[in-house]
Amino acid sequence: MSHFSTIRTELRHRKPLLEALRDLGFQPGEKAQPIRGYQGQTVMADLTVSPDSSGDIGFRWNASVSAYELVTDLDLWRQPVPIERFLARLTQHYAMHAVLAATKQEGFTLANQAKTEDGSIELVVTRWDA
């Protein structure tokens, strides 16, 4: 019996997802490979994270919704925060990187980045027009 859980996300682009995972202290595997679960069961994922203290975390592209979905064995989840909090932090960092990439493409540069007391990330971007 499979113990893997699949959680839909709104994470649609690979590069900001990889950058967000790195922000959270992970070294993501960028090749498709199996992630491990309960009693050695495996399932394929397009991006993988293998934390030392818990089961693997994978992200699998779901073409029908054009987004990555998180795949993990929740029975082996040993991260310091619950899965909901992990996804919230990951999504926050993903959004930051997606915004920075879009603003850079429009000719903006990052002038300031600060984390506020409530945990939000404040970005200031500028662009000089001639």
Side-chain angles (χ1 to χ4, degrees), residues 4-128:
F4 287 101
S5 297
T6 301
I7 302 169
R8 280 198 173 172
T9 74
E10 295 296 320
L11 308 172
R12 300 184 184 284
H13 302 285
R14 184 180 183 93
K15 186 174 179 185
L17 174 55
L18 288 167
E19 291 169 339
L21 287 166
R22 289 184 188 109
D23 285 354
L24 298 180
F26 298 106
Q27 294 301 317
E30 298 185 42
K31 295 180 183 176
Q33 61 186 14
I35 60 169
R36 299 162 296 170
Y38 180 73
Q39 292 186 341
Q41 294 176 342
T42 62
V43 66
M44 288 300 290
D46 298 307
L47 302 172
T48 59
V49 175
S50 298
D52 294 336
S53 62
S54 66
D56 293 344
I57 302 168
F59 292 89
R60 190 169 46 196
W61 180 252
N62 183 334
S64 66
V65 295
S66 296
Y68 285 94
E69 53 193 14
L70 184 147
V71 182
T72 192
D73 186 336
L74 290 176
D75 289 339
L76 300 178
W77 187 264
R78 302 287 182 271
Q79 294 299 306
V81 295
I83 186 85
E84 298 82 6
R85 177 91 171 130
F86 171 81
L87 277 172
R89 290 180 61 212
L90 180 66
T91 302
Q92 177 189 38
H93 284 266
Y94 171 89
M96 178 190 72
H97 287 289
V99 165
L100 288 173
T103 56
K104 182 177 180 180
Q105 195 170 28
E106 293 294 322
F108 290 85
T109 58
L110 179 64
N112 188 34
Q113 176 180 334
K115 193 165 190 172
T116 64
E117 284 185 27
D118 68 357
S120 60
I121 300 170
E122 191 174 282
L123 302 173
V124 177
V125 294
T126 59
R127 178 171 69 181
W128 295 97

